[in-house]
Amino acid sequence: PDGMVTSAGPDGPRAPGRIGNALTLSGNGDYVSLPSGIVSGLNGDFTVSAWVNPAKNSTWSRLFDFGVGTNKYMFLTVSDGTAVRFAITTNGPAAEQQITGTGLLPLNSWSLVTVTVSGTTGTLYINGKAVGTNTGMTIHPSDLGVTTQDWIGRSEYGGDPYLDATVDDFNIDSRALSPAEVATLASGQAGAGDVADYT
């Protein structure tokens, strides 16, 4: 994540990662701020992928959250109370289109979390294995407009906890990676996102 900004400073604290160096977020106000509009050009298929090593799976803490507040956003939480969940909406929480996994990430261990949307089919992968699907994903990131709050580790909702985890190799692709490509990432190959590639 060189070049990204956290509240801990322009580069943030580093730790050994799954692939190289990783960024440590303490859960106490640390987060990463990404450029405004980073997903605004994604009007079709896309992928977001990152390695995460959680110290806690605090309910509603975000691996990432891109949006303009609590009405238009897309996020991935490490816990909705029972499982990992991706959601996107242009009209608040009641209108979310969601992909929910089958459980929580193991603590103090690296997991690759990947979301792909191909056509209207969204898939959530953990360590290269599909753990959730939704065939009714019709909202595109471009529908959010120019997002101004694009964060790793922080929620659009002010009361939600910050992420307490180490994050490595965060990528955004303007296409849906295939299951085989996601499995290759899970084997430890670095991503090469054409929208974002934070090593």
Side-chain angles (χ1 to χ4, degrees):
D2 289 328
M4 295 190 291
V5 178
T6 76
S7 61
D11 291 314
R14 290 295 189 272
R18 174 61 178 80
I19 295 174
N21 286 331
L23 188 68
T24 300
L25 301 175
S26 69
N28 295 317
D30 293 341
Y31 66 95
V32 177
S33 182
L34 301 179
S36 293
I38 192 167
V39 296
S40 300
L42 298 176
N43 59 6
D45 297 354
F46 68 91
T47 301
V48 184
S49 186
W51 286 96
V52 60
N53 185 340
K56 294 180 185 173
N57 282 317
S58 300
T59 301
W60 300 124
S61 64
R62 305 291 206 253
L63 176 55
F64 65 83
D65 199 331
F66 307 141
V68 293
T70 57
N71 218 38
K72 292 184 178 183
Y73 54 80
M74 60 184 272
F75 73 78
L76 192 139
T77 180
V78 295
S79 174
D80 67 359
T82 58
V84 177
R85 179 196 292 177
F86 171 80
I88 187 170
T89 183
T90 55
N91 196 24
E96 285 182 0
Q97 296 179 358
Q98 304 172 348
I99 314 168
T100 302
T102 54
L104 301 177
L105 301 175
L107 297 180
N108 304 306
S109 178
W110 286 104
S111 296
L112 181 73
V113 180
T114 308
V115 175
T116 67
V117 174
S118 177
T120 60
T121 298
T123 307
L124 174 62
Y125 297 86
I126 305 295
N127 293 324
K129 296 187 183 347
V131 296
T133 58
N134 181 342
T135 57
M137 303 293 289
T138 58
I139 302 172
H140 304 297
S142 60
D143 296 331
L144 305 176
V146 178
T147 54
T148 55
Q149 299 180 155
D150 299 329
W151 296 321
I152 296 172
R154 179 180 175 182
S155 170
E156 304 291 322
Y157 290 82
D160 288 343
Y162 287 78
L163 183 68
D164 187 354
T166 307
V167 180
D168 194 7
D169 203 47
F170 189 94
N171 285 272
I172 305 172
D173 290 90
S174 62
R175 64 185 185 90
L177 298 185
S178 70
E181 288 174 310
V182 175
T184 297
L185 290 182
S187 74
Q189 177 175 300
D194 61 335
V195 176
D197 180 6
Y198 296 114
T199 59

